[in-house]
């Protein structure tokens, strides 16, 4: 059953695409919140490049939190743990970046991820999606795994010419250049942005007098 | 007497199953709480993969704590220490994951673990149980060690065909796909879920005015 | 599209110039703020020298914050994360220092960076700009990437004699000896200095009675 | 005089037994409390396995503190430092575990350790005593060093058959299966258990209103 | 222009003297304060010995702060960052110790350093100046770099006999045995000592009722 | 002048004795207090064994502080920095332990160390002095360096037989078995013990209501 995507929409669970010497394969990404102070923990025998891509994904989400309906005050009482199962298998590379962002946003908003969507793409601190390698192998793995929709970087569209027709025919392939396009397709609904001013930020600091939604719940 | 399971139900003590070049063997997992801030410490000459599987198991329990009757506020005053005895023997691999979750839940709820049950299976952040290697050797070790019931990953059922009949006859083998099934069999009773709202969470923060069961005990 | 500079002015995004064995290339530098306590995090497979140059750039900006209109109290509630995309490509060297300062000042002031400007130069704790290597390769990369203006260290002017005329004709090359000259050219507007006395500093400490713009917002 | 046990009962000083290629020898274990937050520091050129056995011994004592008359609130203002003298000699292995527990309990209760007792045995988080290697060499070292009583793991009783009669005749050898049996023999008196409820635990948290014996001394 | 000393007196900028296989050279030392808790950060590809010499220099200044007119309470709200430019060039050795002390005192007092002075000498925790190697190469570099005055350890005076006359004639060479002599020559003015009693120290602790110049500014 | 002991009694400065392949030599040990939380920092290219011996020396002093007239509350506002000059020369071994204790006690009490005394000996957590190697070389170095009195471990008295008469005649050699004997000889006066009860300890905790000499100065 592994190598096949989950059937139900789940919060925090994303299907990435990995590329190894022996071909492509589905890469499950899972995250949960735990009590903490806005830190991230990642496990699953991850290499340095993947660990850094998770750190960048997390900072991207923190910096844009209000745009995704996430109150920044949550980072004063929650950590995120990202785990990639099959814990004995080494994993590395930056191309799971869009999956990391999607998993974190899903977990923090409580909005589920569509289970028939897979995705690949490096992501920058401004949310741009950068091209990846191994497109053919990744698409084949998606097809084999029952995926219906694959999000790929716009800069990889030029590589689609070399992909066999039966692969591209069996998948809806959506090119994206910004992670917001990823979220629009992969989440079952789009979170509504909230306002968060510098005053909200100051008020939510630990020890501040009146917090909108900080650690000291006050009627107002 | 080692290599043979304990006879009494004990809080926090779980029998896992390890697989080495020279065969399978019983793997004792023990945990206790100590004063702290919700951190986990693991000892017993554990490799990186096993250490990461413990981190993931702990985050799984933290994220689902109310479902297991555990008030998340406990992570503001308790750490968990997991130790695997025979401290000079190296141990590694992800397959003790279900045992780690069971030991942590037992310690935090005070509900004992059945001593005649052994278990093997990797666990994900959502509690799914993934397949493991060395099933035959592990079942032989369980039989030798006086175990009555062995919990194995559902995805390993296909491997039972290759196991000698005298082994499978001597053991109750229960396939599981989620760690909740593990807890139902291995714990002497199932913890009752509690409610824990975001308001409870805010109120339990250090410094908050009125805590349900946090660090500032208040009559209410 | 990579290897070509962005078209719109963006906050925190700077184009540096790298020099490798196979030639020069554009080096994107991005930064965001996240909740924190004035620390810096850098990612993108950076070597020790580049990581240290980021630390020095950050300390330079912290020490001169009021001169750039930045209230030092922001370092009590914000971290900076700097990421250099193409996370699998190793990057090192001190010559991105001026870019690091520019990115940090842009992010902390909210003033955008001109997208058609590239820059190279080591920066010291007092803001002096020190010479770099690989000028020819870097200028060629800038030209190829559609850059219009390149800021180079004054101490590299002597190397311009060896650069082909078609390269120097295609670029506006501005020699700089202090990072303030870099900011004047690269930012879309220059931040206005603020006053910040020792009294402001004391008042902004956590727990102080009346803060100008610290963690305890008070009317005054 | 080294290699010979101390003559007076001392708080925190325990005689363990080490086993090296050139034979057994007495191993002094010493501990003191220092101001701190319940952490442990160990020195004396200790290997990873011995360091982990100290961590496990400390967690065992923390988790069972009230049973040994130790108020858990002490871990909010005291650290433990364990040192094994002859600081240039490497030491490793799990078999000093019972000695570590005994030293920590002695230091925290102020009850002295009998100087004519030596001990060897791995200890688990539940206090079980596991078998060790090198029994013969260790007993010879104890005899040479003027030890009268040696505590050994019950699971090593079977190895006594191979020990020369003059060794076993010269020593009182006491097999133990739980560390409580060790404490009963080695301490000059047994500490009386205290009660410590969850309410005591909450009240002793830093910042709590009324502490039994916490950081805020209150009459009651 | 590098290898030549700055022309204006600058706060925190000191010219040291380095000695490498290919001769001596000027070594710029710069420091700034940043918000913090009295910690030191050093960058510039420094080896362990130089990093330790910076740590010792900083502790020397902290321990003698009132003698240099520096209120110790500043270490509750400021860090020091020391950077040695030319960040890709490895630097090591203890002989920049007097320069480190001078840079830190200059930065903390705001008193500028004379730009035409260079210095070399290891410094101890009590401020004694210890001899260094490579005196000839260092003096030659100072002469080449336009330095007028060089401070050398008194214990190196015996080595001056071997230095060519044109070098010693071109430089004012001042032997020093304590870092106070260094500061008297190198700073543009000498800081006035302040009084700082144990009572001041207690009052300046975070959370203390009335602070002379601590984090809680109070009229008195 | 190096290799010769200081002439004046100094607080915190101790002369140890080192033993290398090329003979013995004087080893200066210096310490100062800096603002902090009771931590120790050691520099001077020290090996692991010497670093651990410093940690043990510091814990010994902390645990016995009142016996040396030191209020334990000082560890809530002061760190100790120990530095061994000649920062480029590697140093290791446990035999400077008695010197480390003497330096720390001198610095914390403000009582000077006699400059004509040198010392060697490992020290345990209970203050026992253990034997060292290289006695002959160390005594020769002491004689050469103008030392009058040398403290050696009692367990090294047996080695004095092999030392040439002119060496033992030129030095007052005092055997010691406990570090208290070291302090009695090496300090210019002996600190008077103070009383420090558990109540004092509780009252001196940060946040406690009335502190004897803690962070909150109160009249009483
Ligand atoms: Ca797989
Ligand atoms: Ca990848
Ligand atoms: Ca075994
Ligand atoms: Ca395994
Ligand atoms: Ca590129
Ligand atoms: Ca570079
Ligand atoms: Ca020995
Ligand atoms: Ca051992
Ligand atoms: Ca140079
Ligand atoms: Ca040097
Ligand atoms: Ca020397
Ligand atoms: Ca030594």
């Amino acid at each position: 059953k592994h190598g096949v995507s989950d059937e139900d929409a789940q919060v925090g669970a994303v299907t990435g695409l990995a590329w190894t010497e022996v071909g492509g394969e589905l890469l499950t990404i899972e995250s949960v919140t735990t009590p903490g102070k806005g830190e991230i923990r990642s496990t699953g025998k991850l290499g340095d490049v993947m660990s850094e891509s998770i750190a960048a994904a997390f900072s991207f989400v923190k910096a844009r939190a209000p745009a995704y309906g996430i109150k920044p005050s949550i980072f004063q009482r929650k950590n995120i743990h990202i785990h990639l199962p099959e814990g004995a298998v080494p994993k590395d590379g930056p191309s799971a970046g869009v999956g990391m962002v999607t998993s974190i946003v899903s977990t923090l908003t409580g909005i589920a991820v569509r289970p028939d969507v897979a995705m690949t793409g490096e992501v920058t601190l401004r949310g741009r999606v950068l091209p990846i390698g191994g497109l053919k192998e990744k698409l084949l793995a998606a097809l084999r795994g029952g995926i219906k929709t694959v999000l790929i970087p716009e800069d990889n569209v030029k590589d689609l010419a070399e992909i066999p027709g039966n692969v591209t025919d069996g998948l809806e392939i959506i090119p994206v250049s910004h992670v917001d396009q990823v979220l629009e397709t992969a989440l079952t609904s789009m979170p509504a942005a909230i306002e968060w001013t510098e005053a909200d930020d100051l008020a939510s600091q630990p020890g501040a007098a009146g917090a909108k939604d900080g650690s000291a719940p006050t009627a107002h």
Side-chain angles (χ1 to χ4, degrees), chain A:
Chain A
K1 205 97 97 303
H2 291 275
V4 175
S5 71
D6 276 322
E7 273 160 50
D8 301 319
Q10 301 244 14
V11 171
V14 172
T15 303
L17 295 167
W19 173 40
T20 69
E21 283 168 22
V22 297
E25 82 180 290
L26 300 192
L27 188 76
T28 304
I29 300 164
E30 296 185 358
S31 64
V32 294
T33 60
T34 60
K37 293 284 169 207
E39 277 153 25
I40 194 147
R41 174 97 167 90
S42 59
T43 49
K45 208 163 188 174
L46 313 183
D48 288 352
V49 171
M50 189 174 271
S51 295
E52 288 198 337
S53 84
I54 291 173
F58 190 43
S59 288
F60 169 78
V61 174
K62 279 173 158 179
R64 269 179 76 82
Y68 299 137
I70 300 161
K71 289 176 196 164
S73 55
I74 198 170
F75 301 115
Q76 283 165 21
R77 57 195 170 83
K78 292 291 178 195
N79 286 345
I80 293 273
H81 185 144
I82 286 197
H83 179 68
L84 274 65
E86 301 193 46
V89 178
K91 307 165 191 84
D92 206 355
S95 73
V98 292
M100 301 303 178
V101 169
T102 303
S103 178
I104 294 169
V105 171
S106 169
T107 288
L108 288 174
T109 58
I111 299 173
V113 180
R114 278 180 50 197
D116 54 355
V117 172
M119 62 187 67
T120 182
E122 180 174 347
V123 72
T124 79
L125 273 186
R126 285 181 291 163
R128 286 184 303 132
V129 177
L130 303 187
I132 51 81
L135 185 67
K136 183 162 96 180
E137 292 80 358
K138 286 174 173 177
L139 292 178
L140 277 164
L143 194 65
R144 267 195 327 263
I147 293 295
K148 300 220 165 60
T149 304
V150 183
L151 302 167
I152 67 165
E154 205 169 86
D155 288 340
N156 283 107
V157 167
K158 65 181 186 322
D159 304 325
L160 287 174
E162 302 162 35
I163 314 286
N166 62 320
V167 174
T168 48
D169 287 356
L171 294 167
E172 181 190 22
I173 296 173
I174 305 181
V176 292
S177 60
H178 193 279
V179 80
D180 280 350
Q181 298 166 278
V182 175
L183 296 175
E184 271 157 33
T185 302
L187 295 181
T188 54
S189 72
M190 213 34 201
I194 59 169
E195 263 194 276
W196 191 263
T197 64
E198 197 187 335
D200 290 323
D201 202 55
L202 288 167
S204 73
Q205 297 300 307
K212 200 175 194 172
D213 186 3
S215 55
T218 317
H220 56 281

